[in-house]
């Protein structure tokens, strides 16, 4: 429940778009990033793949990472 998958996209050290599993879609932070996020959010298969990344990457590795921290 407390795990969030985030994929951020940067240009010249400025974050312009981000996918967040808690929001479930891409969010833009600049004028161009908003346009890019809107286009990416129209692709249902891409959104499904990004949502699945939380399951594939985060949930499969959390126990290992948690054990290493302790």
């Amino acid at each position: 429940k407390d795990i969030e998958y985030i994929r951020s996209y940067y240009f010249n050290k400025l974050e312009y778009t981000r996918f967040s599993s808690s929001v479930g879609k891409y969010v833009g932070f600049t004028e161009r990033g908003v346009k890019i996020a809107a286009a990416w959010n129209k692709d249902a298969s891409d959104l499904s793949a990004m949502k699945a990344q939380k399951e594939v990457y985060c949930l499969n590795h959390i126990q290992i990472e948690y054990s290493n921290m302790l």
Side-chain angles (χ1 to χ4, degrees), residues 19-41:
F19 176 84
S20 171
S21 64
S22 64
V23 177
K25 65 179 186 175
Y26 291 95
V27 177
F29 297 104
T30 64
E31 184 178 341
R32 179 157 171 77
V34 170
K35 292 177 185 177
I36 292 170
W40 290 350
N41 285 331

Side-chain angles (χ1 to χ4, degrees), residues 1-65:
K1 296 177 186 177
D2 297 335
I3 299 171
E4 181 178 14
Y5 176 76
I6 297 173
R7 180 179 281 183
S8 297
Y9 299 87
Y10 291 84
F11 181 73
N12 285 340
K13 299 181 183 180
L14 178 66
E15 183 179 25
Y16 64 91
T17 305
R18 173 190 300 173
F19 176 84
S20 171
S21 64
S22 64
V23 177
K25 65 179 186 175
Y26 291 95
V27 177
F29 297 104
T30 64
E31 184 178 341
R32 179 157 171 77
V34 170
K35 292 177 185 177
I36 292 170
W40 290 350
N41 285 331
K42 291 179 184 176
D43 186 355
S45 63
D46 183 50
L47 285 178
S48 296
M50 292 300 289
K51 290 175 185 176
Q53 289 297 311
K54 178 180 177 181
E55 303 288 328
V56 171
Y57 184 75
C58 298
L59 297 179
N60 286 334
H61 293 91
I62 189 64
Q63 189 60 42
I64 296 167
E65 296 296 328

